Amino acid sequence: MAKDLTSQILEGMKHPDLIRNIGVAAHIDHGKTTFSDNLLAGAGMISQDLAGKQRALDFDEEEAQRGITIYSANVSMMHRVQEKDYLINLIDTPGHVDFGGEVTRAMRAVDGVIVLACAVEGTMPQTETVLRQALKERVKPILFINKVDRLIKELQLTPQQMQERFVKIIQNVNKLIRTYAPEEYKEKWQVSVQDGSVCFGSAYQNWALSIGMMKAKNLGFKDVYSYYEKDDPIGLRKAMPLHEAVLDTVVTHLPSPRNSQVYRIPKLWQGDKESPAGKSLMESNSDGPLVFVVTKVIIDPQAGEIAYGRVFSGTLKKGMEVNLVNANTKSRTQQIVLAKGGSRLVVDSVPAGNIAGIVGMKAAQAGETITTDSSIEGFEAISHLFEPVVSKAIEAKNPKDLPKLIDVLRNLEKEDPTLKVTINQETGENIIAGLGELHLEIKEHLITRDKGIDIVTSDPIVVYRESVSKLSPKLMGKSPNKHNHLFVSVEPMDDKLFEAINSGDIPEG
Ligand code: GDP
């Protein structure tokens, strides 16, 4: 990051109206990494040549090798719209279903999400899951339809056929928004081409179009076709740069922390909105008491525990005495850092509305509320849509490594609350349970590669739960004296009732 860019970011952090905290959510392989890299390159954060190759957000070696994004990192960029400089914090969210827990936690830190859907495949199950997780946290969506180049070059669709495909994808996304958005946002948050909340493009070839850009530059799909006819992808990219269309849309359609906290806080925090902390939270006020919510804990070999999260109120500073509400303990902030892809930038303070990391919070877990106001209650627990269903027994090949293995397992559990570790000190049998086989495999690699412990694991055991998919026929049972007949049928619970029971808010009737 160039020095002047760093100071621009530090300046930008002070203006909550000009901040956008966003995530990108997509089904695996729909192009999220390529898209994020090109956004960053466009905003001058990484070199244009390396975009798509460098994978700024995939900083873990394991991720780069497998070519998938596992851990959410965050990066900041600046974007100018109508003479104003906006700070955009992009939090990366994994696309693989096995990492659903990471997605949910990242959503707490952001106010808006770019839903990326591949133009060829359309909305897929994981598109639905991530969108549902975003909406549950009151995170506003916009839509990016990616891989449009394939519709033109590979499938050779006519403009008419292409438009029909877009309409279908937009309708599907809007149907999901109508199903999962909070009641008051079901209509308000519908995405549309006309209002500019939908962009089209190719992350791979680094171009994008929105209605705003079409009007401002007098461009349209006929121009896209003509660039392809001339086989001039560079001209296309120059005419309609991806980062310009997308970041303009982000600034225009996604809310600032100040705007979003007004409706997000009542859902995420049940405390008294009239109290000093309550008022400050609703206003994203950097002069109020500190309220910070941890969304991710990383255990760094040098710095130890770093709790990353969002400053919802007050200003986070080095050396503050803070309360950890859930852990019911006090601690002191040793260092404040900003995540820069794989590295860190140490800063003096971070005001409300921003994403930062605190070094020294040993007891913090994802979901923890860290505050200077000892009287307030914590944020709602971050609820995960998934539970660990695959488990494996894990032991150290060499018995002398057992204490080290137990230590490592406990740390892994701290970093990733969707990983469940059961340790039996007496038998030495340890069980790790995760969201899928890939989830566990990655953890095993971490143990052997990073920690140097040779391990032996059992085959995975998958817990199956039976479910009801449709209304059953009526079955009859008789009482022992055969005088009473009992008729029973089962049917799936509708989503609304399921959500209500999950949140403890059971409707009457
Ligand atoms: P992720 O799993 O969502 O992060 O997806 P990646 O960014 O790793 O992309 C998956 C594959 O799709 C890679 O081979 C990319 O080169 C390719 N890809 C991404 N965006 C586009 C696009 O706009 N057009 C085409 N043709 N391929 C793309």
Side-chain angles (χ1 to χ4, degrees), residues 26-35 55 67-69 116 146-150 154 201-205:
H27 191 81
I28 191 154
D29 267 353
H30 280 195
K32 187 158 55 68
T33 311
T34 316
F35 175 86
R55 308 179 78 95
I68 52 172
T69 309
L116 205 79
N146 191 29
K147 304 200 188 184
V148 174
D149 57 305
R150 292 186 56 196
E154 244 175 80
S202 163
Y204 186 64
Q205 292 181 322

Side-chain angles (χ1 to χ4, degrees), residues 458-471:
S458 69
D459 285 339
I461 300 163
V462 182
V463 182
Y464 288 100
R465 296 213 181 121
E466 290 186 0
S467 181
V468 183
S469 59
K470 56 179 199 270
L471 181 66

Side-chain angles (χ1 to χ4, degrees), residues 176-188:
L176 294 174
I177 296 174
R178 210 167 269 128
T179 310
Y180 297 119
E183 207 49 50
E184 63 270 44
Y185 297 105
K186 285 187 189 305
E187 295 308 319
K188 244 189 189 160

Side-chain angles (χ1 to χ4, degrees), residues 69-97:
T69 309
I70 306 164
Y71 302 103
S72 19
N74 97 64
V75 276
S76 307
M77 55 198 136
M78 300 300 297
H79 183 63
R80 182 161 259 240
V81 178
Q82 289 176 350
E83 308 297 308
K84 284 188 186 151
D85 289 317
Y86 289 83
L87 167 62
I88 295 163
N89 295 313
L90 171 67
I91 316 266
D92 191 30
T93 48
H96 196 281
V97 69

